[in-house]
Amino acid sequence: MRRTTTVRMSPGRRRRVTAGVGCLLSAVVLAVLPLPRGVDQARAATTESSAVTRTGTKAANGDDFSQLKVTVHQTEDLTGQGVRVTWTGGDPSDRAETNYLSVMQCWGDEASGPDRTQCEYGSASGSQASNKRSVYPAGVGYVGDSLETESGTPVDKNGTHYVPFRPVEGQGDPTTSSTDTTYFSENDTNAVPYLPNDGNGGGDTAFEVKSSVEQPALGCGARETSAGEVQPCWLVVVPHGTHNLDGTTHVASTDTASSLSQSNWDQRIVFRLGFRPVAGNCDPDKPERGIMGSELATDAITSWQSALCRTGTYRFNFTQSGEGQARDAVTSGDSEAGLALTVDPVEPVDGQAQVVHAPIAVSGLTIGFVWMYTHTTGDGSDLHLEQLPLTELKLNQRLLAKVLTQSYPFSVTQPSDGVPDYLSGNPESIVKDPEFLRLNPGLDGQAAVKAPLGLAVTSDNTDSARLVWKYILANSDAREFIEGKKDPWGMKVNPAYEDGVISDSLDFFPKTDLTPTQVGCLSGNVTRTAQDVVPYVNDMHDGALKVRRGSIGTAYTCASGDPLPRLSAEPRPIPTDQRQYGIVDNASAVRYQLGAAALPNADGDYVTPTNASLLKAVAEMPDSDVAGVKASDPAKMKDGAYPLTAVVYAASSLDQAEDARQDYAKVMRYAAGAGQTQGTENGELPYGYAPLPQAMRTQAEQAADRLEKGVPDAGESSDGTSGGDDLSGTGSGGAAGGSAAGGTGTGGDSAGTSGAATGGGASDTARPSAAPSETDPAQQNVAQSGGSTPAEVLGLIRWVLLGVLVAGGAAALAGPVMLRLSVRRAASTNIPGGELE
């Protein structure tokens, strides 16, 4: 007969098992729980610590906004940028001109806040609800406002009551009519009169805030209190419901009252905005040190300038330019710019002094977009169309090739002109391209005009443009398309590009198709080309701002009212019709809260620019021909690396005056140290950059040391040590490469030195220079970058907590389980035929 022994746990052991299982279940939940939106992105330009949420109230006309909650996700350390605004708790906007928000920026007093004369509002383009500065007392036209009086507002020459705009002191007089565009117009205002609630009664948008640089009339960041503090500005949200001011139900045919009308204004929700000071704390009488170069570094160097000026006898002036121009300035000894910011290195030149390269910034290029698309729900009589913002976009190399070669007909002609014969058979726009829709199926069924016309790009010669072409042409499908092979769906390249226009050494974006179209204009004709349809932007920052505004300056039609025939830019579209994208630097894309297209890397994985993907790319970068300088090589980007990543180097010649070398070395050291702390304050590393890996910081410090020492004396090596090697020969110096005296070749060292010295003697290639270990970021763990984003910290905490929970669960279970196993073993050993339950 078999005996059965049941082993029972004590209450204490049961509690330990329960706790252990709970820990393990919590660990599983924590592991699979998604992080909050945007927290895993290096792109979040907001500091959520300054986010503010406010709630609406009940209106006198019957609308109830007491459940409406609006959040402004950054309210401190602001500059000219985009700020995310979200809201919940409203009613869905299920019919025209009901249940929406108006948003505007105002100046005003610290204590009292803004009044309605201090707000930039009333000149937005199109027929948007509530978009005007005109107001009507009760019984005077349209639906009157009982809170408006005949004497309460001025009357313009047309007899219209209006709220004047009053600029900050010193910027001019108040406006004199409801349509006065002295201070802002439909093409540059940041006011958004009509943001309809989505189907859940909420919404999510990016609002462009302006410092006094972009809008002197608001003075944000330039006005100070008597105590020397920066005066605040204000973001004002005015909610609208379904009722007119008199309490009657609104119908679409009724003209909606201005958001500045007193009854609407009384429902405002106000947010204090703290701006960074516009005026630097640098003495303007200090002499200047010139820095020149890459736009990829503009936001970083602009942030660092005031901190660099606080000590020392010079202030640093930065001139944004093509990298080639900056490299020429350094090698030519241009005293106006002794420091070049460049992506590609300064190549060694025989007979010239060595140039050191210090890595100072990791960033890249982004296909930034603002793209509203039509979302359809229901069917038949219950069909509902809603304009929603696109949040995810995939583009591959061949699609980029198609856009940049003007191969979509609507990028060269107005839709009403029809498709040119030489592009017949091609999809009119990208949303009709089967290849695009295969990657972005959610955009299937969009009208051809519901797409950006073309990528906004600069006309400059830059290393950035060369990087894009290297990326495109490293892909065989894209290269073959440009060379004339049709894609699998029959689309062909614009014939204007077939004859070798494009190469991987090209450093600009050519607009080769200049086919003219005659546009009738008054008594004559105007010639329109593709450059009018998709014009160049001034620079990538300008491109990002224009994409954010949804208007890149397309000029289709004849300007009316002008004495001479000319084309005029199309009006800026209302927010629900904005569709633009462009090639911009990642810092500007983040600054203006643009979406970022995911691009395939060498593995075929679609990747967006984050701190992790940028730093992974740095680790994958091969060496350039100048030792110590990494080459941006999209074909080598694998394992999660973002393919359009670039490292910006500060390059400076050793052959400069001692005080200049010391000052430029100071820039390198700041960039490698305090300048790598990410944040929104002056002196910090703006979001959109990834913190330098520790190895690159060390390399920048070494470059600064080398620069301070200058051209080595005879009998001294380039790292400042005495020895038998002599740097006065004409060969290229450095640890990696070079040639014997009198020869030529590339070279450098771990500090990123290139160039040749002059004079007689042997070159510096006989022995390696002193260098620290781990100067190659490709050999360094990305996690050692020395800087963490909030996302990385949160992710790290998540996994540390996960480990703690797993360990705790295991420990809690270990005692009872081991005891149970020991009992099991004892029972099976000591009880013949024993069986445990």
Side-chain angles (χ1 to χ4, degrees):
M1 186 175 90
R2 297 176 63 89
R3 294 180 59 187
T4 302
T5 302
T6 301
V7 179
R8 303 187 184 277
M9 294 185 188
S10 69
R13 288 204 300 274
R14 279 198 297 272
R15 285 193 296 269
R16 285 195 294 271
V17 171
T18 301
V21 171
C23 283
L24 292 175
L25 286 175
S26 297
V28 171
V29 171
L30 187 64
V32 299
L33 186 68
L35 293 173
R37 173 184 168 181
V39 78
D40 61 337
Q41 300 274 324
R43 304 172 39 76
T46 63
T47 49
E48 290 290 336
S49 61
S50 70
V52 174
T53 300
R54 299 199 185 284
T55 304
T57 59
K58 189 170 183 178
N61 67 351
D63 288 324
D64 188 355
F65 306 115
S66 58
Q67 300 302 309
L68 177 68
K69 295 184 182 299
V70 181
T71 300
V72 178
H73 289 256
Q74 182 183 356
T75 59
E76 295 294 339
D77 296 325
L78 294 165
T79 183
Q81 64 177 82
V83 170
R84 188 180 178 206
V85 179
T86 59
W87 65 99
T88 61
D91 293 323
S93 183
D94 54 0
R95 55 194 175 90
E97 299 180 355
T98 62
N99 297 322
Y100 62 93
L101 306 183
S102 298
V103 186
M104 64 195 81
Q105 183 180 345
C106 314
W107 65 279
D109 221 39
E110 169 79 61
S112 60
D115 66 48
R116 55 183 179 162
T117 69
Q118 297 169 319
C119 298
E120 180 170 320
Y121 190 81
S123 294
S125 61
S127 300
Q128 300 184 58
S130 302
N131 173 33
K132 50 196 165 191
R133 297 194 73 89
S134 55
V135 296
Y136 301 97
V140 181
Y142 301 111
V143 177
D145 186 345
S146 60
L147 298 183
E148 295 287 355
T149 63
E150 289 282 352
S151 60
T153 51
V155 179
D156 65 19
K157 61 183 180 181
N158 297 318
T160 302
H161 287 262
Y162 72 100
V163 176
F165 173 72
R166 181 164 52 91
V168 295
E169 185 178 354
Q171 293 300 320
D173 298 322
T175 54
T176 57
S177 76
S178 61
T179 57
D180 189 334
T181 59
T182 299
Y183 301 104
F184 48 87
S185 68
E186 66 177 15
N187 290 318
D188 61 11
T189 183
N190 62 352
V192 183
Y194 181 65
L195 282 171
N197 298 344
D198 62 23
N200 297 314
D204 189 336
T205 191
F207 180 80
E208 177 199 346
V209 296
K210 298 178 179 180
S211 73
S212 65
V213 174
E214 295 82 24
Q215 177 52 287
L218 292 174
C220 300
R223 299 167 58 239
E224 292 186 350
T225 65
S226 57
E229 299 293 327
V230 175
Q231 287 264 25
C233 278
W234 308 86
L235 186 145
V236 174
V237 175
V238 176
H240 295 259
T242 59
H243 294 81
N244 295 315
L245 297 181
D246 61 359
T248 58
T249 301
H250 171 74
V251 293
S253 60
T254 303
D255 190 274
T256 51
S258 169
S259 292
L260 300 181
S261 192
Q262 192 65 57
S263 291
N264 284 331
W265 179 253
D266 286 349
Q267 300 308 313
R268 68 192 181 278
I269 305 171
V270 181
F271 298 84
R272 183 188 185 281
L273 300 179
F275 277 77
R276 297 195 321 227
V278 171
N281 52 5
C282 191
D283 183 355
D285 293 330
K286 282 186 176 182
E288 291 183 351
R289 292 284 188 211
I291 303 174
M292 177 185 289
S294 178
E295 185 177 358
L296 289 176
T298 296
D299 275 20
I301 203 73
T302 302
S303 175
W304 298 338
Q305 277 175 312
S306 59
L308 285 166
C309 184
R310 279 196 289 268
T311 59
T313 56
Y314 282 80
R315 59 192 177 98
F316 295 95
N317 178 56
F318 175 63
T319 301
Q320 182 179 291
S321 71
E323 293 88 349
Q325 183 181 354
R327 289 190 288 269
D328 289 343
V330 166
T331 57
S332 67
D334 186 347
S335 61
E336 297 300 316
L339 190 72
L341 305 184
T342 181
V343 175
D344 294 341
V346 178
E347 294 289 345
V349 178
D350 287 342
Q352 291 185 354
Q354 288 183 328
V355 173
V356 295
H357 294 80
I360 63 164
V362 174
S363 188
L365 303 173
T366 299
I367 312 301
F369 65 89
V370 171
W371 194 324
M372 301 296 293
Y373 72 100
T374 303
H375 176 66
T376 305
T377 58
D379 53 25
S381 59
D382 195 31
L383 189 67
H384 182 64
L385 301 180
E386 189 175 23
Q387 297 298 316
L388 297 178
L390 189 65
T391 57
E392 295 181 356
L393 179 67
K394 289 183 178 180
L395 297 171
N396 62 25
Q397 295 93 327
R398 184 162 55 195
L399 288 169
L400 291 176
K402 292 173 179 179
V403 177
L404 290 173
T405 58
Q406 302 172 282
S407 295
Y408 295 110
F410 285 178
S411 69
V412 297
T413 63
Q414 187 178 15
S416 60
D417 295 333
V419 174
D421 291 340
Y422 58 90
L423 294 178
S424 63
N426 283 3
E428 299 100 327
S429 69
I430 197 169
V431 294
K432 293 301 180 183
D433 188 337
E435 182 170 20
F436 175 78
L437 294 175
R438 185 178 61 176
L439 294 175
N440 303 279
L443 293 175
D444 193 12
Q446 303 291 305
V449 295
K450 299 287 187 179
L453 298 175
L455 279 168
V457 296
T458 71
S459 60
D460 295 336
N461 299 82
T462 63
D463 293 351
S464 297
R466 183 161 41 242
L467 175 59
V468 172
W469 289 120
K470 286 173 65 176
Y471 173 61
I472 291 172
L473 293 175
N475 176 265
S476 58
D477 290 339
R479 185 176 63 252
E480 290 171 356
F481 176 83
I482 291 173
E483 291 171 350
K485 181 180 178 180
K486 292 182 178 180
D487 78 358
W489 300 272
M491 183 173 176
K492 57 185 179 293
V493 70
N494 187 323
Y497 290 84
E498 283 184 328
D499 299 326
V501 174
I502 306 300
S503 72
D504 60 6
S505 63
L506 191 65
D507 67 351
F508 69 104
F509 300 107
K511 293 183 183 293
T512 307
D513 186 349
L514 297 177
T515 304
T517 300
Q518 295 300 310
V519 179
C521 192
L522 301 178
S523 59
N525 290 326
V526 177
T527 299
R528 182 181 64 220
T529 70
Q531 289 206 47
D532 298 306
V533 179
V534 185
Y536 284 114
V537 294
N538 295 329
D539 56 26
M540 290 189 286
H541 176 273
D542 178 55
L545 177 57
K546 287 179 175 176
V547 169
R548 164 48 54 205
R549 292 177 173 177
S551 175
I552 60 173
T554 294
Y556 271 152
T557 55
C558 172
S560 60
D562 280 10
L564 297 175
R566 68 174 182 88
L567 294 172
S568 64
E570 293 298 293
R572 186 169 162 186
I574 63 175
T576 51
D577 285 339
Q578 292 177 350
R579 299 173 190 90
Q580 298 292 351
Y581 57 179
I583 299 177
V584 300
D585 62 294
N586 196 48
S588 292
V590 170
R591 181 172 178 169
Y592 287 106
Q593 298 277 294
L594 305 184
L599 303 176
N601 61 15
D603 288 330
D605 297 328
Y606 282 81
V607 185
T608 56
T610 65
N611 273 1
S613 65
L614 292 171
L615 290 173
K616 184 62 179 176
V618 173
E620 298 286 329
M621 286 180 183
D623 292 328
S624 71
D625 290 339
V626 173
V629 178
K630 294 295 178 182
S632 299
D633 190 347
K636 301 281 177 47
M637 299 296 102
K638 298 180 178 180
D639 300 325
Y642 181 67
L644 294 183
T645 301
V647 178
V648 179
Y649 290 84
S652 192
S653 172
L654 298 183
D655 187 17
Q656 299 184 75
E658 181 179 2
D659 59 343
R661 287 186 281 103
Q662 290 176 340
D663 284 338
Y664 291 131
K666 177 182 174 182
V667 175
M668 295 176 179
R669 288 200 176 92
Y670 186 87
Q676 293 303 312
T677 300
Q678 281 191 302
T680 55
E681 295 184 7
N682 283 331
E684 295 182 325
L685 184 70
Y687 291 104
Y689 295 95
L692 283 176
Q694 183 57 50
M696 283 190 160
R697 298 188 193 195
T698 302
Q699 182 183 345
E701 292 278 0
Q702 284 187 320
D705 291 343
R706 177 70 57 80
L707 181 59
E708 282 187 328
K709 292 171 183 175
V711 176
D713 295 329
E716 183 184 20
S717 69
S718 61
D719 61 1
T721 59
S722 301
D725 298 319
D726 185 75
L727 274 180
S728 57
T730 57
S732 296
S739 65
T744 61
T746 60
D749 56 22
S750 58
T753 308
S754 69
T758 58
S763 71
D764 175 25
T765 58
R767 66 176 168 78
S769 61
S773 60
E774 288 193 336
T775 55
D776 182 359
Q779 306 300 320
Q780 178 191 18
N781 190 310
V782 171
Q784 296 175 338
S785 64
S788 298
T789 63
E792 291 167 337
V793 172
L794 181 55
L796 179 62
I797 291 171
R798 196 238 300 257
W799 293 111
V800 170
L801 182 57
L802 177 62
V804 171
L805 289 170
V806 170
L813 289 174
V817 170
M818 293 305 294
L819 178 60
R820 188 178 179 97
L821 288 175
S822 67
V823 173
R824 180 188 296 269
R825 179 177 297 171
S828 62
T829 302
N830 299 326
I831 303 174
E835 190 173 281
L836 299 179
E837 291 181 347

